[in-house]
Amino acid sequence: MGVSAVALCMAMPACAQSSEQQHYNLPAQDLSRSVRAVVDQSGATIVAPADLLAGLRAPALRGEFTPEQALVRLISGTSLRIEHVGNALVLQRDPADVGQDTAASNAADNEILVTGTRIRGRAPAGAAVTTIDRSDIEQSGYATTQEILQALPQNFGGGPNETTIETNRGNASLNQNYGSGVNLRGLGTGSTLVLLNGERPPMAGFAGVFTDLSMIPTIAIQRIEVLPDGASALYGSDAVAGVVNIIPRSQFEGIETTARYGLADGFDEIQAGAIGGKRWDTGSIVLAYDYYRRSRLAVADRPYISEDLRRFGGGDYRANYANPGTIVAGGQTFAIPAGQDGSNLSASDLVAGTQNVQDQWLGADALPFQERHALFAAARQELMPGVEFYAQALFGSRRFDRHLRASSNNALRTVPITNPFYVDPVGTNLPIQVRYNFVEDLGPESLRGKSEALGASSGLRLDVGQWSFDAHATYGTQRENSVFYNRVNTARLAAALADTDPATAYNLLGDGANTDPATIESIRGSTSDSGRYTMLSGLARADGPLFQLPGGDARLALGGEYRYERFRDRPAISDTTTLTPVELAPTPMPDPRRVTAGYAELLLPLAAPELGLAGLHRLDLSAAVRYEHYSDFGDTTNPKLGLSWQPFESLTLRGTWGTSFRAPTFNDLRPDLATPLQFAIGLTDPASDTGLTYALILRGTVPDLGPERATSWTAGFDLEPDFMPGLTARLTYFDIDYRDRIASPASETLNFLINRATYASIIDAPADPAIVAAYFSGPGYVALYPITASQVTTIIDSRTQNLASQHLNGFDFDLAYQGKFYDGAFEVGVGGSWLIGFRQALTDDAPEVDILDTLGNPVDLRLRGRASYSGPQFGASLFVNYVDGYENRTGAEPQQVDAWVTVDARISYRLAAEKGPLAGTAIALSASNLFDNDPPFTVNNLGLTTIGYDPENASPQGRVVALQVTKSW
């Protein structure tokens, strides 16, 4: 098998070949083994075919070198040379020694795929791939995969993440087990495809709506490749905003252990892991384990997570469920006095028109307790010349526990006259009602649970000449279960309130917990739920050269795939409304989904450096197309074109165009949501003579719900000027036209006719009386109001359907300078994403509204600056993160939210010992959010509660200082 590797090698998030020096201690050996060692240690992108390295020996290599410096020394005395191709270092024969007709084809003859193409050994034509390599992961100081990706300027924090469930946007409410997704461009986690070594991992959340990054351990990651461009022509559904491909350390050799302890104001975290690998002439095996635990972060340690924001210049938004509570009787409210236990309360102690309020976040957590075990394994074995078996598996088990804000326990409680603590403030001798907060009795409402995920694949690879054939199968499953505890069991509470014994009756009329502990325990209820996502897939593919072109071999990749997906909700156990627990029917889910697909990709190298053409140093054209058939909605075909043109070696001009799609999720297709429902209602209508129109409203989900579709294109350049070696500049313009987004306009029912132009495509007026009559007599009609069929003149289709559109455009950029300093290497740079516009329309007829720079959506500018130094023993890195200011429109008056700047820093030291127990040991001290900057204050109205920050654009973690020790054995 050929020796080759691809790894992106730049400081996050640039796309340049790494200039960071590593310490090498390699013996004189086969050149192929030394090249592999450089790849494994540096994470560099190095491409070399086996026949090129066969029979060559490399000298010993000892000292501090960049990947390119190491290669120069290893190939000294051979007829090989180093060529820069995109982000890769490609080993080729010098044209002076062999004919130029074989050089290009040999350089492309390798095994590894770069994200963005199915053709081995070639960078994707036209695409700009951002890579975070092993060195970047370590320099960041972050503990988890989700933290690493959340630092990308192209990522938006909305959707399923640990702190966003209260926003109820972008499927955040379906993340009951507090996983973490990635949301490129802010188009939704469902519009970013996440891959593990090119394979789809099992999906997380209710109905499998996102990929949970928290299951992927950092110790097992070699690099992360991010393609922020539509790629459905290559990968199928979900690759609308882009693809995140996490490449594991499958070729690691040796043993490495690491331990990390992090401390912040309010919580701490522990991480420990080990990876071991062994390679032999015909195969290899790698095994990695990672443990992570983080304690809970209480909102008491983050005062801006509160409903009482007066200290910050905001208002008081506390709810009227409190302890002491408030009596409601005779249409009036009476605040229960503080400082008494309810045993001697009288009507004279109560004042009409008063009420108590309380922060519903009392006792709640800003971040849940998390504990995760993860195990990764990979192996490959050559069975015979040209035939290789390979397999990989990742298992993750994560449990969590979070104290929630008071919500489900907030309800009026009826106190009968038989209750020994009963007080009648209005003299009617009738039952009273009390608004009471149970936090001091039961503790905060809480959610705990467990997620387990397993993904495994295995296959065979066959090399026949210059063609490679691959067939493999993948299995994935993710199980999630949760228990919603510290809830009030209303049936047992009613019995306790009706109890006439003051020693055992429930007391809602005091200050604090004044009820017998056994009685309190008796009303403690819970609800448990679970679900399971399952995936099976099979793939067969081939790629190789077709014919010779002036710039090298035209290459073709072909493949066919089959995928089976299913999500099943399990029966829930409810102990909240009956005296004993009962089983509830599971949420009905659609039938399993079966997907068949076929793709083809063609690469045409039209010019290469060996031709010596002026203005055509290199020219590559690629074309790809993918057809998919879905068992639940039909077919879709998506093409993509890419072009890379180097007029001279230091400048690459590139561009792409293509279409992509996102298939409806299982949650979108739920049968219970699809059940037709109709009702008639009188709506305000400025066009009506009476100001009122009676309309028939259709609810449910349309039966022909289809995929969301997008057209995207990019154009950009990569510049590495000869006059300033070490300087790199990259700029990419992107434009995404996203249409047929699945949406329901039901929340705007009262505005349908007020904004008739906006909703014209779903309004049928005047309606056919026969159709109206048929709905009125049908099984789905509900008579909410006394309106007859003859009064209805309009039908409005507010069912969930392919309705909305979004248009997003902007620039990604990176500027960096790398060089030598003293006995090491340094880099300074800045990368970012600048959005020009993010326009959205609810329907085809609706005017576009620019939602950029508004709360709940991406900001126009995100930056991550960097500076690093790496020497033989000492290393240091500094990162500056910038999130631009934006507008909060959730209140009556728009508010300006300030920009947020945080600084991350890390210093490391590699011990000088070459022998003994300390050999191979490195110590690192890091700090994220070094200056402990709080998120910008804003009054964030989340509907059922209000807090003082935006969890989609900021984190409540604060400063985290961590000490890490790593040892290579």
Side-chain angles (χ1 to χ4, degrees):
M1 303 297 293
V3 176
S4 61
V6 219
L8 221 113
C9 5
M10 40 159 258
M12 181 170 61
C15 271
Q17 185 67 38
S18 175
S19 67
E20 181 173 337
Q21 291 186 331
Q22 301 277 337
H23 181 77
Y24 295 94
N25 186 12
L26 304 179
Q29 58 184 343
D30 289 345
L31 178 58
S32 61
R33 294 181 66 85
S34 291
V35 170
R36 173 61 71 182
V38 173
V39 169
D40 291 339
Q41 190 164 334
S42 69
T45 305
I46 301 174
V47 176
D51 59 353
L52 200 64
L53 306 183
L56 297 179
R57 296 282 293 176
L61 182 70
R62 294 181 176 87
E64 302 291 326
F65 304 103
T66 67
E68 186 170 2
Q69 291 169 344
L71 285 182
V72 168
R73 285 160 175 77
L74 291 174
I75 66 175
S76 62
T78 72
S79 61
L80 302 182
R81 64 170 184 162
I82 300 171
E83 174 79 13
H84 290 262
V85 179
N87 302 314
L89 297 174
V90 178
L91 291 182
Q92 297 181 338
R93 282 195 176 91
D94 195 295
D97 295 284
V98 297
Q100 65 181 30
D101 59 326
T102 62
S105 61
N106 283 341
D109 184 19
N110 60 85
E111 304 165 13
I112 309 299
L113 298 174
V114 184
T115 303
T117 181
R118 296 283 193 173
I119 295 175
R120 296 169 297 142
R122 296 300 296 264
V129 178
T130 294
T131 300
I132 306 162
D133 67 15
R134 188 70 207 162
S135 174
D136 299 326
I137 292 171
E138 293 171 352
Q139 283 189 355
S140 72
Y142 295 139
T144 64
T145 305
Q146 59 266 33
E147 288 179 303
I148 294 166
L149 284 169
Q150 285 164 1
L152 276 176
Q154 292 83 2
N155 184 59
F156 172 59
N161 273 307
E162 287 186 294
T163 61
T164 55
I165 193 169
E166 299 283 352
T167 66
N168 201 30
R169 283 188 289 264
N171 289 328
S173 61
L174 302 181
N175 183 26
Q176 294 292 334
N177 277 37
Y178 293 95
S180 295
V182 59
N183 185 356
L184 295 179
R185 309 293 191 207
L187 293 174
T189 53
S191 299
T192 298
L193 177 62
V194 177
L195 302 173
L196 179 62
N197 205 20
E199 304 293 335
R200 290 176 181 256
M203 303 295 284
F206 180 79
V209 294
F210 73 102
T211 300
D212 186 3
L213 299 173
S214 70
M215 292 295 193
I216 303 174
T218 55
I219 195 170
I221 299 175
Q222 179 66 34
R223 66 188 184 277
I224 303 173
E225 298 177 352
V226 181
L227 174 68
D229 188 14
S232 288
L234 298 168
Y235 301 107
S237 178
D238 307 334
V240 176
V243 180
V244 175
N245 192 8
I246 299 171
I247 312 297
R249 302 170 78 179
S250 301
Q251 298 299 318
F252 179 83
E253 185 168 40
I255 298 176
E256 178 183 291
T257 56
T258 184
R260 179 184 187 273
Y261 178 74
L263 182 64
D265 179 14
F267 72 93
D268 67 350
E269 56 185 8
I270 297 173
Q271 188 174 29
I275 183 171
K278 175 65 177 176
R279 295 201 307 271
W280 52 94
D281 290 343
T282 59
S284 64
I285 188 170
V286 170
L287 186 66
Y289 168 77
D290 189 72
Y291 171 78
Y292 174 77
R293 182 202 60 79
R294 187 193 63 208
S295 61
R296 67 178 79 246
L297 171 62
V299 298
D301 294 312
R302 300 295 183 266
Y304 48 81
I305 306 179
S306 170
E307 293 179 328
D308 186 357
L309 301 176
R310 290 175 294 180
R311 76 182 83 177
F312 302 102
D316 185 356
Y317 307 96
R318 291 177 294 172
N320 53 18
Y321 288 89
N323 186 332
T326 299
I327 295 173
V328 180
Q332 301 180 78
T333 59
F334 302 84
I336 297 173
Q340 51 83 36
D341 64 5
S343 60
N344 296 306
L345 186 66
S346 65
S348 61
D349 297 323
L350 303 172
V351 179
T354 59
Q355 65 176 356
N356 290 319
V357 294
Q358 183 170 311
D359 190 346
Q360 303 307 292
W361 289 93
L362 180 67
D365 292 335
L367 290 172
F369 164 83
Q370 297 268 21
E371 184 180 47
R372 189 254 297 134
H373 299 267
L375 184 66
F376 171 78
R380 66 179 184 89
Q381 176 62 52
E382 187 177 51
L383 304 179
M384 63 180 68
V387 180
E388 181 183 74
F389 169 81
Y390 62 90
Q392 72 171 31
L394 174 66
F395 173 76
S397 178
R398 177 176 57 82
R399 64 186 186 94
F400 69 95
D401 193 327
R402 186 187 183 191
H403 298 329
L404 310 174
R405 67 174 179 86
S407 57
S408 65
N409 287 348
N410 287 352
L412 283 170
R413 309 297 177 178
T414 300
V415 179
I417 61 175
T418 56
N419 185 283
F421 306 102
Y422 170 83
V423 175
D424 183 4
V426 291
T428 60
N429 200 36
L430 295 174
I432 61 172
Q433 292 183 308
V434 179
R435 295 174 182 155
Y436 186 79
N437 187 300
F438 286 86
V439 169
E440 294 193 40
D441 298 51
L442 298 173
E445 298 174 40
S446 300
L447 191 67
R448 65 170 176 258
K450 187 176 185 179
S451 294
E452 290 186 336
L454 171 65
S457 65
S458 63
L460 290 172
R461 183 182 297 114
L462 171 66
D463 289 339
V464 179
Q466 296 186 61
W467 276 79
S468 178
F469 300 86
D470 184 321
H472 67 263
T474 300
Y475 170 77
T477 185
Q478 180 137 341
R479 299 176 181 176
E480 297 188 348
N481 64 73
S482 61
V483 179
F484 189 3
Y485 65 101
N486 286 349
R487 297 188 64 185
V488 171
N489 181 291
T490 56
R492 297 197 291 268
L493 175 62
L497 288 170
D499 189 350
T500 59
D501 184 352
T504 56
Y506 214 99
N507 179 3
L508 298 180
L509 301 176
D511 179 3
N514 297 290
T515 301
D516 176 65
T519 302
I520 292 177
E521 190 60 32
S522 73
I523 74 157
R524 191 184 304 274
S526 64
T527 303
S528 63
D529 198 7
S530 63
R532 180 179 179 180
Y533 170 90
T534 304
M535 178 193 68
L536 291 166
S537 68
L539 178 148
R541 62 190 178 198
D543 78 291
L546 284 179
F547 49 83
Q548 185 77 21
L549 287 173
D553 284 335
R555 302 183 68 89
L556 177 69
L558 297 169
E561 298 180 24
Y562 171 82
R563 189 168 73 252
Y564 168 94
E565 296 176 284
R566 185 182 74 174
F567 181 84
R568 285 293 177 264
D569 188 40
R570 305 297 183 185
I573 304 299
S574 175
D575 186 27
T576 58
T577 58
T578 55
L579 293 175
T580 57
V582 296
E583 183 176 282
L584 303 180
T587 301
M589 302 303 297
D591 293 336
R593 168 177 286 169
R594 294 170 174 83
V595 184
T596 54
Y599 70 85
E601 182 184 7
L602 179 65
L603 175 67
L604 302 175
L606 303 178
E610 292 81 4
L611 299 177
L613 299 176
L616 279 177
H617 183 76
R618 186 181 297 277
L619 180 63
D620 289 341
L621 174 66
S622 69
V625 64
R626 183 183 179 101
Y627 167 83
E628 294 201 337
H629 174 75
Y630 279 71
S631 59
D632 46 6
F633 71 80
D635 305 336
T636 179
T637 301
N638 293 274
K640 184 169 185 177
L641 300 174
L643 178 68
S644 293
W645 171 35
Q646 282 185 278
F648 40 88
E649 187 174 5
S650 61
L651 176 65
T652 300
L653 304 176
R654 48 181 167 75
T656 63
W657 174 92
T659 67
S660 50
F661 75 102
R662 184 186 76 85
T665 66
F666 287 127
N667 193 59
D668 293 329
L669 299 172
R670 278 169 48 186
D672 57 326
L673 298 180
T675 302
L677 170 70
Q678 307 90 35
F679 62 89
I681 187 174
L683 296 177
T684 301
D685 183 4
S688 170
D689 293 337
T690 64
L692 186 72
T693 291
Y694 291 105
L696 180 69
I697 308 298
L698 310 185
R699 291 281 180 85
T701 301
V702 296
D704 57 347
L705 195 67
E708 300 177 346
R709 305 177 188 276
T711 301
S712 58
W713 64 275
T714 68
F717 68 83
D718 305 326
L719 177 64
E720 300 180 18
D722 296 332
F723 63 82
M724 188 176 290
L727 177 67
T728 60
R730 291 173 172 80
L731 180 70
T732 303
Y733 173 82
F734 58 88
D735 185 286
I736 304 171
D737 184 12
Y738 204 177
R739 58 198 181 279
D740 296 333
R741 300 224 66 178
I742 297 171
S744 169
S747 62
E748 296 295 313
T749 297
L750 299 181
N751 296 319
F752 282 153
L753 300 183
I754 296 175
N755 299 317
R756 184 183 289 265
T758 297
Y759 303 102
S761 64
I762 62 173
I763 297 174
D764 179 13
D768 186 334
I771 296 178
V772 173
Y775 276 121
F776 265 70
S777 60
Y781 183 76
V782 178
L784 298 180
Y785 305 99
I787 301 172
T788 65
S790 61
Q791 292 176 282
V792 172
T793 60
T794 300
I795 297 176
I796 303 177
D797 188 355
S798 66
R799 294 175 296 175
T800 298
Q801 54 194 288
N802 297 102
L803 197 63
S805 64
Q806 292 177 318
H807 186 207
L808 173 68
N809 62 332
F811 291 93
D812 291 333
F813 55 90
D814 190 87
L815 181 66
Y817 182 74
Q818 304 169 344
K820 292 184 177 181
F821 179 75
Y822 191 48
D823 57 350
F826 75 92
E827 180 187 24
V828 293
V830 61
S833 180
W834 175 35
L835 301 183
I836 299 173
F838 195 159
R839 293 168 291 282
Q840 178 173 280
L842 182 59
T843 68
D844 290 339
D845 302 298
E848 285 190 334
V849 176
D850 197 342
I851 58 175
L852 183 64
D853 273 338
T854 62
L855 190 144
N857 300 290
V859 301
D860 63 346
L861 182 62
R862 288 192 61 179
L863 302 172
R864 183 168 169 86
R866 61 191 184 276
S868 66
Y869 168 79
S870 178
Q873 292 179 271
F874 176 75
S877 57
L878 184 73
F879 300 91
V880 179
N881 309 288
Y882 176 82
V883 179
D884 202 15
Y886 53 101
E887 193 172 64
N888 177 0
R889 300 175 184 173
T890 64
E893 294 292 332
Q895 318 167 44
Q896 185 63 34
V897 184
D898 292 338
W900 192 40
V901 179
T902 59
V903 175
D904 305 331
R906 181 179 184 268
I907 56 173
S908 63
Y909 183 76
R910 184 184 298 111
L911 301 187
E914 296 185 2
K915 295 182 179 180
L918 297 180
T921 300
I923 302 172
L925 180 66
S926 63
S928 58
N929 195 352
L930 177 64
F931 299 109
D932 201 21
N933 286 344
D934 285 341
F937 172 73
T938 186
V939 179
N940 190 356
N941 182 353
L942 296 170
L944 298 177
T945 187
T946 299
I947 56 177
Y949 90 112
D950 175 11
E952 295 172 309
N953 278 307
S955 168
Q957 279 193 331
R959 176 172 51 227
V960 180
V961 178
L963 178 67
Q964 183 168 354
V965 179
T966 302
K967 177 173 172 57
S968 298
W969 302 82

